[in-house]
Amino acid sequence: MDTAAQYIPMEPSEAVTQIHHGDYKDEDGLWHCGICGKARQKRINSPFFPKVVWCICDCRIKELEEQRQKEEYQEEMSRIQRLKDASMMASKFRDARFSEYQQREENQKAFRISQKYTAQFKQMITEGNPKTKEKNVGLVFYGPCGTGKSFTAACIANELMEQKISVIMTSFVKILQDIQGQDEAAYIGMLNACSLLIIDDLGAERNTDYALEKVYNVIDSRVRADKPMILTTNLTFDEMMRNPDIRYRRIYDRIFEHCIPVEIPGKSFRIIKAAQRQKQLEDYFS
Ligand SMILES: [Zn+2]
């Protein structure tokens, strides 16, 4: 049933009442849209309310829908941007993407695991891992310096942020700087508010009791919050698993309760690139 209310915007805007080129009046004197042909006016024949009112044609409905979608898209993009701004990620990792991944024999396994981890992440943090039901399964990328461990972690981070999942990527060196003179519990609470915490370069922090106590606190509270983390380190598996120092042992034990070790072996990309440059120079001058 047509009712007056359906057709009368409270205050018909200019966009509703504006006559466009091509619009025409029918035999009843009511305006029609020149594009879709639908009525742009309607006569309300009610004894209480005899009136011609403006209505919205299909073109305007389409226009409004397109505008709504555009606004929704922009809102989504700015949400992603806000997530990226809050991620603490170093600018050199902002463009890390799986599509840019330089696959080699040595990093195939890490590449495959990372992609799978990313694809299953949302499900894991909501419903738990399909097998173990754990919601905080993490990864530890370990291997020599320069094999792309941080890049791999950053690929996961960027991919998840595109899915509007909050990620923080930082390092213990940075955390130890930031935490000084701050409310430690509040700072750790801020870290734990994100869905994924990535801590780059474990083992690069100073080995003082103070530093190692903070490192333990960050990791322990992450585990207690039942949320996942990813770590990267240049340490070897033995250095982590068979470290005689009790201060390190309790850190690594806590990490490996929920994180899967993923080795990225091989020669440093930096060394390979330097060798390539050397070769190019030699070829150039030979
Ligand atoms: Zn129209």
Side-chain angles (χ1 to χ4, degrees):
M1 190 185 82
D2 286 344
T3 63
Q6 203 177 335
Y7 290 100
I8 310 169
M10 292 304 280
E11 296 265 341
S13 68
E14 210 176 297
V16 175
T17 59
Q18 197 183 10
I19 303 300
H20 304 111
H21 179 72
D23 287 359
Y24 59 93
K25 276 188 173 180
D26 65 11
E27 62 275 19
D28 202 17
L30 299 173
W31 282 104
H32 281 249
C33 172
I35 298 167
C36 70
K38 292 278 168 67
R40 298 203 52 217
Q41 285 187 317
K42 198 167 180 69
R43 201 179 297 282
I44 307 292
N45 293 317
S46 155
F48 310 105
F49 203 67
K51 203 181 171 190
V52 169
V53 296
W54 290 92
C55 50
I56 296 171
C57 76
D58 288 357
C59 309
R60 181 71 184 144
I61 290 171
K62 200 172 147 226
E63 206 178 293
L64 287 169
E65 176 57 18
E66 280 166 1
Q67 198 182 329
R68 192 191 62 78
Q69 281 179 6
K70 200 172 143 198
E71 280 166 6
E72 213 173 87
Y73 176 78
Q74 280 165 347
E75 171 52 33
E76 199 163 301
M77 287 301 111
S78 69
R79 228 181 117 192
I80 291 170
Q81 193 52 49
R82 286 197 297 276
L83 278 175
K84 287 181 178 173
D85 292 343
S87 72
M88 301 185 187
M89 184 185 274
S91 53
K92 61 178 170 177
F93 296 130
R94 297 269 167 137
D95 296 326
R97 292 289 183 284
F98 285 124
S99 56
E100 307 287 318
Y101 209 88
Q102 292 182 41
Q103 292 185 59
R104 295 183 302 158
E105 206 186 321
E106 294 97 325
N107 63 23
Q108 272 304 304
K109 191 177 153 201
F111 179 69
R112 220 180 46 241
I113 289 173
S114 302
Q115 281 197 312
K116 221 168 178 181
Y117 186 82
T118 308
Q120 294 174 349
F121 188 84
K122 215 171 206 169
Q123 192 192 4
M124 178 188 74
I125 59 168
T126 49
E127 298 159 34
N129 177 286
K131 285 180 190 147
T132 62
K133 300 289 163 212
E134 285 174 285
K135 291 183 176 176
N136 61 354
V137 180
L139 304 170
V140 176
F141 293 115
Y142 70 98
C145 188
T147 54
K149 299 181 297 293
S150 307
F151 182 83
T152 307
C155 286
I156 296 175
N158 288 322
E159 186 80 32
L160 291 179
M161 284 192 280
E162 296 288 335
Q163 294 176 29
K164 298 190 287 296
I165 293 168
S166 58
V167 180
I168 286 178
M169 182 165 176
T170 183
S171 67
F172 280 120
V173 173
K174 178 109 193 353
I175 289 172
L176 287 163
Q177 277 169 10
D178 289 351
I179 223 164
Q180 272 181 10
Q182 277 212 46
D183 178 349
E184 184 181 326
Y187 184 81
I188 291 177
M190 182 273 294
L191 292 180
N192 283 340
C194 70
S195 297
L196 176 65
L197 177 62
I198 299 178
I199 302 179
D200 201 20
D201 216 2
L202 169 75
E205 67 285 337
R206 290 187 303 139
N207 63 351
T208 61
D209 284 348
Y210 171 84
L212 296 178
E213 182 63 30
K214 301 294 171 216
V215 168
Y216 181 80
N217 287 348
V218 169
I219 288 168
D220 180 60
S221 64
R222 187 73 190 169
V223 174
R224 283 171 195 271
D226 209 18
K227 286 183 155 183
M229 62 186 153
I230 291 177
L231 297 115
T232 76
T233 182
N234 295 336
L235 297 164
T236 66
F237 195 60
D238 265 10
E239 279 170 323
M240 290 185 282
M241 298 312 274
R242 283 182 266 282
N243 195 312
D245 189 331
I246 183 75
R247 299 173 305 164
Y248 286 105
R249 278 222 59 85
R250 65 177 199 143
I251 291 172
Y252 302 139
D253 284 351
R254 200 74 175 123
I255 290 171
F256 287 109
E257 274 175 41
H258 299 282
C259 294
I260 301 162
V262 182
E263 188 180 15
I264 308 188
K267 276 205 194 95
S268 161
F269 269 120
R270 286 188 272 272
I271 292 171
I272 292 170
K273 271 192 190 148
Q276 281 169 349
R277 267 199 306 277
Q278 179 77 23
K279 179 90 177 58
Q280 278 168 359
L281 277 173
E282 279 169 15
D283 291 350
Y284 185 73
F285 288 113
S286 62

